[in-house]
Amino acid sequence: MIRKTFVYKSFVCFALTCAFPAWAGSANLSALYQMALENDAEYAAARESFKAGQEKIPQGRAGLLPTISLGANARYNQARSSISPSTSYDSRSLSLTFTQPLYRKQNLEAFEQSKVQALLSEQQLKLAEQNLLLSVAQAYFAVLQAQDVLATAQSQKQAYAEQLAQARKGFEVGTVTITDTHEAQARYDLTTAQEIAAQNDLEVKRRSLEKIISRETPELAGLVTEAKLVLPEPNNMDAWVKQAEEDSVSVHLGQSALELARRDVLRQRGGHHPTLDLSANYSDSRNPSSTIASSRAGSIGLELGWLLYQGGIVDSRVREAVALREKARYELDNSRRQARLDARQGFLGVLSGDAQVTALEQALVSSEAQLKSTKLGLEVGVRTRVDVLNAQQQLFTTRRDLAAARYQTLIAGLQLKAAAGRLSEDDFKAIDALLK
């Protein structure tokens, strides 16, 4: 199967405005992936399935190679007759048989099928590898996002606690109404509930990652906030869609499945063909205690066989194989459609994610300025404490959404590479450079 080479730059090339030292003891994406390679049960099962699939070739080749069988026996014989006295004697015999298939259509197609089955197992392992890469990345960034949500809730809770304390103090001295105190109390109580939910969600996300790496989730390196995403190259959705149609692992699997089904049709039709074998045998029979003479015999020749009728089973198997071939053809068409859809979704996810990150970065600057001016307005009496609470909530929400947008953009880029059949560990190494 020939793959068209398609040159493009990794979508995860970023320009960093600042350099950050690595945290000691924190694990990055590549480290988590190595843990997953060693411990993930699904990938281990795929690896063993690959090993089993490679054995199909020697099994298929065996149908074209000679078979040699050896038989031997030793017997005690007793014969009785009405006209002669009974006799008993020992006998021993040895036989050696050699058979070399010269023409067996079904065996020939079975050997060709075995090659496709071995390729299929290799492609299935590749698909398992790509799925593992995506699973690790999704679980990794899910934990980071859950940590951000929890940190946001805790920061909100602390800010609301300060506002609540100030409101209570102001109410005691008569400078703040009870409404402001109740508003601050309500915001504080709501944030407490959100903090509990965030803690639970973080625990679930960590357990999901632990399922993949089969160990306790280590401290994870965080994403550099100043990283700037570069759009995929080529910045053309049609080019990525075309590559996905040609190089997607799912498409390759569909192509191999179709070829396997096509070969099975030929194999079943081979049931109508004659068979031709080269056969040789040698036998040695000895009767040392009998008057029956010992004998030795050998022969070599060609054996032609032709099953003319088997109750219609061959025709039925051919019809079954043809139907399965058409089924594989439709499944391949569906795989191509899905690859096109995945490529489009991944490409649009990167583009929209980059635009969303840019917009949220500007919104963060605006939210910080709004909070600063609102606090100043509260001091001079033109803004209320509720306005400050709203400005704080908007700032925290913007920070949370910005981090989530960065994570989702990275995931979309990985999904785009997977749809095009190009996702590899090198993409993780590129992202590792953006983790602190």
Side-chain angles (χ1 to χ4, degrees), residues 11-56:
F11 77 94
V12 291
C13 295
F14 287 75
L16 298 181
T17 57
C18 299
F20 290 82
W23 290 352
S26 60
N28 57 22
L29 264 178
S30 295
L32 267 291
Y33 179 63
Q34 292 302 321
M35 297 179 193
L37 281 177
E38 298 174 1
N39 300 296
D40 183 64
E42 290 186 18
Y43 182 75
R47 189 168 56 240
E48 296 305 316
S49 179
F50 165 73
K51 294 178 182 178
Q54 297 306 299
E55 295 302 321
K56 295 295 183 180

Side-chain angles (χ1 to χ4, degrees), residues 121-197:
S121 67
E122 181 180 349
Q123 293 167 342
Q124 288 170 339
L125 180 62
K126 176 64 176 177
L127 180 61
E129 179 183 344
Q130 290 207 340
N131 289 339
L132 183 62
L133 284 164
L134 285 177
S135 296
V136 170
Q138 290 169 342
Y140 186 99
F141 289 120
V143 172
L144 292 185
Q145 185 172 348
Q147 290 176 345
D148 291 341
V149 172
L150 177 59
T152 298
Q154 291 173 338
S155 299
Q156 283 181 315
K157 182 179 178 180
Q158 181 179 359
Y160 292 158
E162 294 174 357
Q163 291 294 328
L164 178 59
Q166 293 175 4
R168 286 173 174 173
K169 183 177 181 180
F171 178 72
E172 291 175 357
V173 298
T175 58
V176 174
T177 65
I178 191 62
T179 302
D180 288 343
T181 304
H182 288 167
E183 178 70 25
Q185 182 68 57
R187 297 290 182 97
Y188 178 82
D189 294 339
L190 177 60
T191 306
T192 300
Q194 293 173 342
E195 180 187 18
I196 296 173

Side-chain angles (χ1 to χ4, degrees), residues 158-421:
Q158 181 179 359
Y160 292 158
E162 294 174 357
Q163 291 294 328
L164 178 59
Q166 293 175 4
R168 286 173 174 173
K169 183 177 181 180
F171 178 72
E172 291 175 357
V173 298
T175 58
V176 174
T177 65
I178 191 62
T179 302
D180 288 343
T181 304
H182 288 167
E183 178 70 25
Q185 182 68 57
R187 297 290 182 97
Y188 178 82
D189 294 339
L190 177 60
T191 306
T192 300
Q194 293 173 342
E195 180 187 18
I196 296 173
Q199 289 173 338
N200 179 74
D201 184 61
L202 174 59
E203 187 66 17
V204 172
K205 296 297 191 299
R206 291 175 67 88
R207 292 293 179 260
S208 297
L209 181 56
E210 288 175 8
K211 173 183 176 292
I212 301 175
I213 63 176
S214 188
R215 65 181 66 182
E216 185 177 352
T217 301
E219 179 184 356
L220 303 182
L223 186 65
V224 176
T225 57
E226 288 79 6
K228 300 298 181 181
L229 180 64
V230 176
L231 298 178
E233 287 291 340
N235 191 6
N236 185 306
M237 184 168 62
D238 291 337
W240 285 95
V241 170
K242 182 178 180 181
Q243 186 181 11
E245 284 184 296
E246 297 175 355
D247 292 338
S248 169
V249 179
S250 297
V251 171
H252 288 165
L253 279 169
Q255 291 171 338
S256 296
L258 177 59
E259 175 63 15
L260 186 64
R262 188 183 72 84
R263 287 288 180 180
D264 193 53
V265 173
L266 298 176
R267 185 175 69 87
Q268 297 301 338
R269 286 176 177 166
H272 290 300
H273 290 221
T275 62
L276 181 63
D277 299 333
L278 172 64
S279 179
N281 63 77
Y282 169 79
S283 63
D284 186 347
S285 179
R286 299 185 181 186
N287 307 298
S289 59
S290 171
T291 58
I292 302 175
S294 299
S295 65
R296 293 181 181 180
S299 65
I300 184 171
L302 298 177
E303 293 186 2
L304 176 67
W306 200 338
L307 292 173
L308 300 179
Y309 183 70
Q310 291 181 277
I313 190 172
V314 175
D315 291 332
S316 176
R317 287 172 176 169
V318 170
R319 292 193 297 270
E320 178 188 21
V322 169
L324 292 176
R325 182 191 62 190
E326 295 308 305
K327 172 177 175 288
R329 195 186 308 278
Y330 287 123
E331 289 177 343
L332 173 59
D333 184 55
N334 182 67
S335 296
R336 286 198 175 101
R337 296 180 187 182
Q338 187 62 48
R340 292 195 294 265
L341 176 61
D342 292 342
R344 289 190 177 98
Q345 287 179 335
F347 187 86
L348 293 174
V350 174
L351 262 62
S352 63
D354 178 71
Q356 189 176 12
V357 167
T358 301
L360 286 170
E361 286 175 342
Q362 182 58 46
L364 180 62
V365 174
S366 301
S367 296
E368 290 172 343
Q370 180 188 9
L371 177 60
K372 183 177 180 180
S373 61
T374 302
K375 286 183 177 179
L376 181 61
L378 177 64
E379 294 176 0
V380 298
V382 296
R383 287 289 185 269
T384 66
R385 197 166 299 277
V386 174
D387 294 331
V388 174
L389 293 174
N390 290 335
Q392 286 177 329
Q393 183 174 2
Q394 180 174 329
L395 175 61
F396 291 136
T397 301
T398 303
R399 285 176 179 171
R400 181 197 63 199
D401 292 346
L402 175 59
R406 288 194 176 104
Y407 300 146
Q408 292 304 316
T409 303
L410 286 173
I411 292 296
L414 294 175
Q415 290 171 336
L416 175 61
K417 297 289 287 292

